[in-house]
């Protein structure tokens, strides 16, 4: 269709012209009548023959109908932000999920579900110490930690200046102006979802909208690549106010997606699987990942982090995935951010195409069309192999002590060296327990090998550590004795 390379075995994108084929006519009738279930059945009936001419017009009608059905669905959600907001498998979302599957099986959606958390881009251990994350991504942890901007402060200063000038110029009491402003902001928040204030705020920070767009594009593409049907996206409070999926949530931007497996597990109080937890973690952290990778830091996303914390914390009460203490939650957030950044980089062409479609005000169909077009133009397809492996290795065991390290091994390097019978090169080294080895961290991800200590050196270090522990125990015992004598 586009005269570009295509991955063998996958269909081309929809053409721009239609014909009078009866199959297409039946599909058109179903789309015109708003019958998504019937339209899906027609797609499923013809997916083996792959003879259905899916024109660009039909493509857009399918996704317009998905947006319409999910907007008016029995349950609506914004970004699946809380456990109580996870929608059940309603008729609308079942139809949407089936249509996505039908389009994928017919070869039209080759990037939908292209990444599986069971074979992530960073495979292996899920233990992600901060130096390891920084070394793999060449990004500081600070870049992945949302920080508030001074936009609100600047807007407040501007309002104060204007109020002062009006008070002096028109002889109006300043207190009255301040109270009026607070009252107006409250009304704006209650009745307009904060849209008025958002418009005022963006006037003082022209780059905010671009960051919001790229942030939400990260959520969108991550959900799509992980096989979670995307329902829609809004990029302003005004748009959210007019969308029933967002209007009651008081959000200024959001991506609505649906994870059938996770929703079923939560709503039916089933065991939440680790793969579902991992999918959610990646999608939630993808907005922060997008900002960090594009701007070197993330301003937005504090709400995303809070959502992940709330989600994992609530799992402690009703799931075998219990045991999410603060350290494990922070580690899962780092794991999700790592996978999200690698995913956005690996599918950079598709991400850029999505951003371009959103900047042009594209619909859901336009956005997915842009992703799939970029996939064909750049030979992008499902993940076949990870980019690398995170491996925990034990350097030495001496009694109860185990000296460990976590290394990042590039896939190609590991495979090549394994074939040659050599030891894979460790790119990043980080001790995970009491380490008596050299604590060298390659934060630039430059290939190098960190050699463990020899037997004699290791024994000497262990002996020294043992002496230090014994000395501390003697100090504690001495302090307890002194305390006992004082009480007597």
């Amino acid at each position: 269709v586009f005269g570009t390379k295509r991955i063998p075995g996958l269909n081309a994108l929809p053409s721009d012209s239609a014909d009078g084929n009866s199959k297409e006519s039946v599909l058109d009738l179903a789309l015109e009548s708003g019958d998504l279930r019937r339209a899906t059945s027609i797609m499923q009936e013809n997916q083996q023959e792959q003879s259905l001419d899916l024109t660009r017009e039909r493509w857009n009608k399918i996704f317009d109908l998905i947006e319409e059905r999910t907007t008016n669905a029995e349950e609506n959600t914004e970004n699946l932000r809380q456990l109580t907001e996870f929608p059940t498998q309603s008729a609308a979302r079942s139809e949407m999920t089936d249509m996505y599957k039908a389009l994928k099986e017919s070869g039209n959606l080759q990037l939908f579900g292209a990444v599986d958390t069971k074979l992530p881009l960073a495979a292996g251990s899920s233990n992600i110490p901060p130096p390891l994350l920084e070394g793999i991504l060449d990004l500081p942890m600070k870049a992945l930690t949302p920080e508030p901007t001074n936009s609100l402060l600047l807007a407040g200063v501007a309002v104060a200046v204007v109020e002062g000038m009006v008070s002096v110029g028109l002889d109006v009491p300043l207190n009255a102006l301040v109270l009026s402003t607070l009252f107006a902001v409250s009304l704006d928040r209650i009745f307009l979802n904060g849209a008025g204030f958002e418009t005022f705020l963006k006037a003082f920070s022209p780059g905010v909208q671009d960051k919001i767009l790229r942030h939400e594009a990260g959520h969108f593409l991550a959900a799509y690549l992980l096989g979670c049907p995307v329902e829609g996206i809004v990029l302003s409070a005004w748009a959210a106010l007019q969308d029933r999926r967002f209007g009651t949530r008081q959000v200024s931007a959001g991506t609505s997606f649906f994870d059938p497996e996770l929703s079923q597990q939560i709503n039916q109080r089933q065991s939440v699987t680790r793969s579902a937890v991992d999918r959610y973690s990646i999608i939630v952290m993808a907005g922060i990942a997008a900002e960090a990778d594009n701007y070197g830091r993330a301003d937005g996303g504090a709400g995303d982090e809070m959502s992940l914390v709330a989600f994992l914390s609530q799992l402690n009460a009703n799931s075998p995935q219990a045991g999410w203490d603060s350290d494990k939650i922070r580690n899962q957030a780092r794991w999700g951010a790592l996978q999200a950044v690698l995913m956005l980089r690996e599918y950079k062409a598709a991400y850029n195409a999505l951003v371009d479609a959103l900047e042009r005000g594209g619909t859901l169909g336009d956005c997915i069309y842009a992703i799939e077009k970029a996939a064909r133009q750049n030979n992008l397809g499902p993940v076949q192999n990870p980019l690398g492996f995170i491996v925990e290795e034990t350097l030495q065991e001496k009694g109860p002590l185990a000296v460990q390290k976590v290394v990042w091994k590039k896939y190609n390097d590991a495979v090549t060296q394994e074939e040659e019978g050599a030891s894979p090169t460790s790119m990043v080294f980080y001790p995970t327990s009491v380490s008596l080895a050299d604590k060298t961290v390659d934060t630039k991800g430059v290939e190098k090998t960190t050699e463990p200590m020899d037997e004699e050196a290791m024994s000497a270090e262990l002996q020294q550590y043992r002496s230090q522990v014994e000395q501390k125990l003697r100090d504690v015992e001495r302090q307890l004795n002194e305390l006992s004598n004082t009480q007597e």
Side-chain angles (χ1 to χ4, degrees):
V1 177
F2 297 99
T4 58
K5 301 176 183 178
R6 296 197 297 270
I7 298 177
L10 295 181
N11 279 5
L13 282 176
S15 62
D16 293 319
S17 60
D19 57 33
N21 192 305
S22 59
K23 298 176 182 178
E24 281 76 11
S25 299
V26 176
L27 177 60
D28 290 339
L29 182 61
L31 294 173
E32 290 295 338
S33 61
D35 192 344
L36 184 57
R37 178 178 298 177
R38 177 58 182 151
T40 302
S41 297
I42 296 170
M43 292 291 301
Q44 292 171 337
E45 292 168 2
N46 293 276
Q47 68 185 23
Q48 295 296 330
E49 302 175 7
Q50 297 185 351
S51 58
L52 198 63
D53 185 12
L54 191 59
T55 65
R56 180 68 183 275
E57 181 181 3
R58 293 187 182 110
W59 173 281
N60 285 339
K61 284 183 178 179
I62 287 173
F63 288 100
D64 287 346
L65 187 53
I66 286 175
E67 281 206 89
E68 180 183 344
R69 288 285 287 125
T70 56
T71 299
N72 300 314
E74 295 87 343
E75 302 86 11
N76 288 304
T77 182
E78 177 270 317
N79 241 14
L80 303 186
R81 292 277 170 106
Q82 297 178 13
L83 291 180
T84 55
E85 293 181 338
F86 278 55
T88 59
Q89 186 82 356
S90 63
R93 290 186 169 87
S94 293
E95 294 167 10
M96 172 188 67
T97 302
D98 291 341
M99 176 56 83
Y100 267 90
K101 289 181 179 178
L103 289 170
K104 176 179 175 62
E105 290 171 359
S106 63
N108 289 289
L109 302 183
Q110 70 184 44
L111 287 193
F112 180 66
V115 180
D116 189 341
T117 54
K118 296 177 181 178
L119 183 65
L121 292 174
S125 172
S126 59
N127 182 17
I128 313 294
L132 179 69
L133 177 68
E134 293 176 336
I136 296 174
L137 300 180
D138 196 20
L139 283 173
M141 275 298 300
K142 186 177 181 180
L144 294 163
T145 305
E147 295 182 358
T149 64
N150 59 357
S151 300
L152 188 61
L153 175 62
L154 293 176
V157 171
V159 170
V161 171
V162 171
E163 288 177 340
M165 294 174 62
V166 171
S167 177
V168 173
L170 301 179
D171 196 24
V172 178
L174 183 59
N175 289 341
L177 290 176
V178 172
L179 291 175
S180 298
T181 300
L182 294 175
F183 182 69
V185 170
S186 299
L187 291 179
D188 173 59
R189 188 64 178 170
I190 296 172
F191 296 104
L192 296 179
N193 193 33
F197 180 73
E198 179 195 65
T199 302
F200 176 78
L201 185 62
K202 288 179 179 179
F204 292 90
S205 302
V208 168
Q209 185 59 37
D210 185 61
K211 287 188 176 182
I212 291 174
L213 186 147
R214 291 180 179 273
H215 180 106
E216 294 304 327
H219 289 306
F220 189 119
L221 186 60
Y224 187 78
L225 291 173
L226 289 169
C228 296
V230 179
E231 303 174 3
I233 181 171
V234 293
L235 301 175
S236 70
W238 291 109
L241 186 65
Q242 300 169 28
D243 193 317
R244 290 181 58 188
R245 294 168 297 192
F246 301 91
T248 60
R249 303 294 198 279
Q250 291 190 337
V251 298
S252 58
T255 301
S256 183
F257 63 92
F258 181 62
D259 187 330
E261 180 186 358
L262 181 57
S263 181
Q264 179 180 353
Q265 290 169 358
I266 288 176
N267 286 291
Q268 296 184 12
R269 298 186 179 280
Q270 300 175 351
S271 299
V272 178
T273 61
R274 184 55 190 255
S275 60
V277 171
D278 287 344
R279 273 197 308 275
Y280 183 81
S281 301
I282 295 172
I283 295 172
V284 168
M285 295 301 294
I288 294 173
E291 283 195 56
D293 205 35
N294 281 282
Y295 302 101
R297 58 171 288 179
D299 293 331
D304 295 330
E305 284 189 328
M306 293 175 60
S307 298
L308 183 59
V309 171
F311 171 74
L312 296 176
S313 298
Q314 290 182 62
L315 287 182
N316 287 330
N318 54 14
S319 171
Q321 291 291 337
W324 290 98
D325 57 27
S326 59
D327 289 337
K328 290 183 178 179
I329 290 175
R330 282 194 292 268
N331 184 77
Q332 182 68 10
R334 290 193 295 269
W335 184 90
L338 169 65
Q339 302 292 348
V341 173
L342 292 177
M343 188 184 299
L344 295 178
R345 289 178 179 177
E346 185 72 5
Y347 294 93
K348 187 68 172 179
Y351 175 77
N352 289 337
L354 172 60
V355 168
D356 181 65
L358 290 172
E359 288 176 339
R360 290 183 283 106
T363 62
L364 177 62
D366 293 330
C367 290
I368 295 179
Y369 185 86
I371 291 172
E372 292 297 335
K373 181 177 179 180
R376 286 154 178 78
Q377 290 177 334
N378 294 274
N379 281 339
L380 299 176
V383 172
Q384 301 297 324
N385 298 299
L387 296 178
F389 301 93
I390 300 169
V391 183
E392 296 186 42
E393 297 181 347
T394 300
L395 298 179
Q396 189 79 23
E397 290 188 10
K398 284 288 184 180
L401 278 179
V403 182
Q404 294 181 317
K405 66 177 179 179
V406 181
V407 295
W408 167 251
K409 300 177 180 179
K410 287 185 177 180
Y411 175 79
N412 291 333
D413 292 342
V415 171
T416 300
Q417 291 166 355
E418 183 178 354
E419 291 174 351
E420 295 175 352
S423 299
T425 301
S426 301
M427 290 186 61
V428 180
F429 167 81
Y430 184 78
T432 59
S433 62
V434 180
S435 176
L436 307 179
D438 191 11
K439 296 185 179 182
T440 302
V441 179
D442 180 10
T443 58
K444 295 299 182 183
V446 180
E447 295 184 4
K448 68 179 184 179
T449 302
T450 303
E451 297 294 337
M453 293 182 177
D454 57 33
E455 183 74 18
E456 183 177 352
M458 182 66 70
S459 298
E461 289 287 352
L462 286 171
Q463 183 62 40
Q464 181 181 359
Y465 176 75
R466 179 180 178 178
S467 299
Q468 292 174 352
V469 172
E470 290 176 347
Q471 181 61 46
K472 288 183 179 180
L473 289 174
R474 286 194 293 269
D475 291 340
V476 171
E477 185 178 2
R478 177 179 53 79
Q479 292 174 3
L480 288 174
N481 291 332
E482 292 177 355
L483 180 61
S484 177
N485 293 333
T486 301
Q487 290 176 344
E488 291 177 356

